[in-house]
Amino acid sequence: QKEVEQDPGPLSVPEGAIVSLNCTYSNSAFQYFMWYRQYSRKGPELLMYTYSSGNKEDGRFTAQVDKSSKYISLFIRDSQPSDSATYLCAMRDENTGNQFYFGTGTSLTVIP
Amino acid sequence: EPEVTQTPSHQVTQMGQEVILRCVPISNHLYFYWYRQILGQKVEFLVSFYNNEISEKSEIFDDQFSVERPDGSNFTLKIRSTKLEDSAMYFCASSVDRDYGYTFGSGTRLTVV
């Protein structure tokens, strides 16, 4: 299943760094895009939600969607050790279905 | 903050046995979902449930699986005749609207031996 591709990492950065996490997708009908954070042995936690193209900012987090390139990004500014987790992208077609398609997740470690 | 509650957190069962995984979605949510995550693999959609009926199911969700909302608060996933390959984390989720992000529970780790 290659609907959504995400580099699994692991990614390791020093505290305070800017982190860039990315997903690519193949289905041009995807319109709803989400980023989830998943701590070990926990369920995914919704971080950011965007519809169609553009940017969305929430505190230290910025989500970007480039539909022409079928590419989405999550940026984390001033990264903290508490940001260490697995980050999952998920997306859905507007017109059909209820299911979201997930990436494999990128494991991030922020080193103090 | 409201949360989705799943029980048990870990279930070990013998191959061929039936298991019921339980979920209490957020009270004002109308859409309910089950997803699963096999170790090291993607989170995969199983089924969505709205207005007391299945609204969509994946090809994974075959006759071995069923869902119920037996009362106003619980949402259950039943797996009949479990197989080794059913071992996974099973996540329940709920949402106010199908276009909105889900709230996931912490999951039930199912181990079939």
Side-chain angles (χ1 to χ4, degrees), chain A residues 31-37 43-51 56 88-92 98-102, chain B residues 1-4 25-26 28-33 35 92-105:
Chain A
Q31 290 276 24
Y32 295 90
F33 303 94
M34 302 194 180
W35 285 96
Y36 285 87
R37 177 175 60 196
E45 171 195 3
L46 181 64
L47 279 179
M48 300 286 286
Y49 164 75
T50 52
Y51 173 73
K56 186 173 184 178
L88 304 163
C89 62
M91 50 198 78
R92 185 172 74 77
N98 295 305
Q99 65 172 297
F100 276 87
Y101 293 88
F102 282 78
Chain B
E1 187 163 331
E3 49 181 40
V4 175
I26 293 173
N28 65 332
H29 285 188
L30 301 176
Y31 293 81
F32 313 112
Y33 312 87
Y35 279 75
C92 174
S94 67
S95 64
V96 171
D97 185 288
R98 73 188 282 264
D99 295 334
Y100 209 72
Y102 308 157
T103 301
F104 280 88

Side-chain angles (χ1 to χ4, degrees), chain A residues 1-2 4-5 32 34 36 38 41-44 46 49 88 92 94 96-100 102-104, chain B residues 31 33 35 37 41-45 48 55-56 58 89 91 98-102 104-107 109:
Chain A
Q1 182 182 350
K2 299 225 181 238
V4 182
E5 296 288 316
Y32 295 90
M34 302 194 180
Y36 285 87
Q38 187 176 23
R41 301 190 179 190
K42 294 287 188 184
L46 181 64
Y49 164 75
L88 304 163
R92 185 172 74 77
E94 176 173 37
T96 62
N98 295 305
Q99 65 172 297
F100 276 87
F102 282 78
T104 51
Chain B
Y31 293 81
Y33 312 87
Y35 279 75
Q37 187 175 29
Q41 297 187 24
K42 293 181 179 182
V43 175
E44 299 175 292
F45 171 79
S48 61
S55 50
E56 186 180 353
S58 71
M89 281 289 284
F91 292 108
R98 73 188 282 264
D99 295 334
Y100 209 72
Y102 308 157
F104 280 88
S106 292
R109 180 174 301 279

